Amino acid sequence: MQVIKTNHPVVQVKDVILGEGMPKICLPVVGKTEEEILQTVEHYESLSNWDILEVRLDYYEGLAFGDSVELLGKIRHETTRPILATIRTRQEGGEVDLDDDHYSLALTSIITSHTADMVDIEASHTHGVVLSLCDLCEEHDVVSIISSHNFEETPSNDDMREMLSTMHVLGGDILKLAVMPHDRIDVMRLMKVTTEMSQRINRPLITMSMGDLGKISRISGEITGSVMTFGTAGKASAPGQIALDELYQFLKELHCD
């Protein structure tokens, strides 16, 4: 992993450079069993025009038994693309309930095993947990994405700015903000804040307005400063994700040479 901190911040993971060129496409895997997950990875590997594999471990039934590291190790043998490991708790719209201690323990085992190139760290956990996990990522050369999800509303512009600024202070290599719009104005507000903060914060940003209403935010990242977008080639992991082929064509059409 290489973090380049300039006026135009980028993060390089393997041969993928986040913050340069078109927003990078991440495909999530949301299977429950090891067999289902590995079959999905095999299917994704037969496709083109995508960049990063997200393994949503909160869907995985083996998470409760401590099998995540073993699973990620097997996925390592199936793909050369960067692997993003995510444990999304119910508090942030995910599938599992984990307190701070168990959440930290699960991510620590993944980071120290080097079975993922990137990890998602939820901002809703205590600042101490987030800080320690970010420090651990830096120690083990793993990219940290601090994320915040609001499935109820789009906060005020000031609140969104404050959230991104707080995540910046906590030390994430990449900052992610996902919100739910109630109207077109909400979508435009999210895109406006993204544009502003991508110029002010020396970290790559990932932002999205969820649901069908917010689809434009998933394809306009090269303009607003959002460096990655999530597509589907199977089961979606969040509302509003766009099918891979369609998403790539949108990004290609909007690309500025």
Side-chain angles (χ1 to χ4, degrees):
M1 181 268 290
Q2 183 180 11
V3 181
I4 306 171
K5 298 175 181 177
T6 67
N7 290 331
H8 181 63
V10 301
V11 169
Q12 181 169 347
V13 192
K14 292 188 172 180
D15 61 349
V16 175
I17 302 178
L18 292 144
E20 182 176 282
M22 289 166 46
K24 302 308 181 281
I25 296 177
C26 181
L27 291 183
V29 181
V30 294
K32 292 186 177 182
T33 67
E34 179 181 299
E35 180 181 12
E36 183 182 359
I37 291 168
L38 292 176
Q39 286 177 349
T40 301
V41 173
E42 182 180 5
H43 169 59
Y44 287 177
E45 285 295 301
S46 70
L47 307 175
S48 57
N49 299 324
W50 64 282
D51 306 285
I52 294 169
L53 177 73
E54 181 184 37
V55 184
R56 283 288 301 269
L57 293 165
D58 49 302
Y59 282 84
Y60 175 45
E61 62 186 16
L63 174 66
F65 304 103
D67 295 338
S68 297
V69 167
E70 182 180 355
L71 172 66
L72 290 168
K74 292 179 180 179
I75 293 173
R76 274 274 194 226
H77 293 291
E78 302 298 326
T79 184
T80 59
R81 290 177 171 86
I83 296 171
L84 166 60
T86 298
I87 301 173
R88 184 74 63 233
T89 61
R90 294 194 199 281
Q91 183 176 353
E92 297 247 359
E95 297 293 312
V96 295
D97 293 308
L98 290 176
D99 61 24
D100 282 350
D101 289 341
H102 287 92
Y103 179 82
S104 180
L105 183 63
L107 281 188
T108 294
S109 65
I110 292 167
I111 295 165
T112 56
S113 69
H114 300 99
T115 50
D117 306 288
M118 313 167 74
V119 296
D120 181 291
I121 302 169
E122 295 178 339
S124 57
H125 294 275
T126 65
H127 286 183
V129 167
V130 176
L131 282 165
S132 64
L133 288 172
C134 286
D135 287 345
L136 193 64
C137 283
E138 185 173 2
E139 179 183 344
H140 288 271
D141 202 28
V142 174
V143 172
S144 58
I145 301 178
I146 301 183
S147 66
S148 176
H149 300 77
N150 189 324
F151 284 82
E152 301 298 324
E153 62 179 359
T154 299
S156 71
N157 290 12
D158 284 344
D159 284 347
M160 288 191 284
R161 293 186 190 103
E162 182 178 357
M163 174 55 71
L164 289 168
S165 297
T166 297
M167 292 192 289
H168 182 207
V169 171
L170 289 171
D173 296 316
I174 300 172
L175 316 178
K176 178 187 176 189
L177 177 64
V179 298
M180 184 64 72
H182 292 297
D183 54 35
R184 290 177 293 176
I185 300 299
D186 282 347
V187 179
M188 298 305 294
R189 290 197 299 107
L190 180 278
M191 294 170 65
K192 174 181 171 62
V193 169
T194 303
T195 304
E196 291 176 359
M197 297 303 284
S198 68
Q199 302 300 313
R200 289 171 49 184
I201 291 183
N202 197 25
R203 292 288 191 278
L205 306 182
I206 302 169
T207 69
M208 65 211 66
S209 187
M210 295 183 284
D212 288 341
L213 194 60
K215 283 184 177 180
I216 189 172
S217 69
R218 295 182 179 273
I219 65 174
S220 59
E222 193 168 351
I223 297 170
T224 62
S226 179
V227 304
M228 189 166 80
T229 187
F230 292 76
T232 63
K235 185 178 178 182
S237 62
Q241 290 176 352
I242 302 170
L244 172 60
D245 290 344
E246 186 179 3
L247 179 59
Y248 176 75
Q249 289 302 318
F250 280 133
L251 295 176
K252 188 176 179 182
E253 287 294 324
L254 293 173
H255 177 54
C256 302
D257 292 323

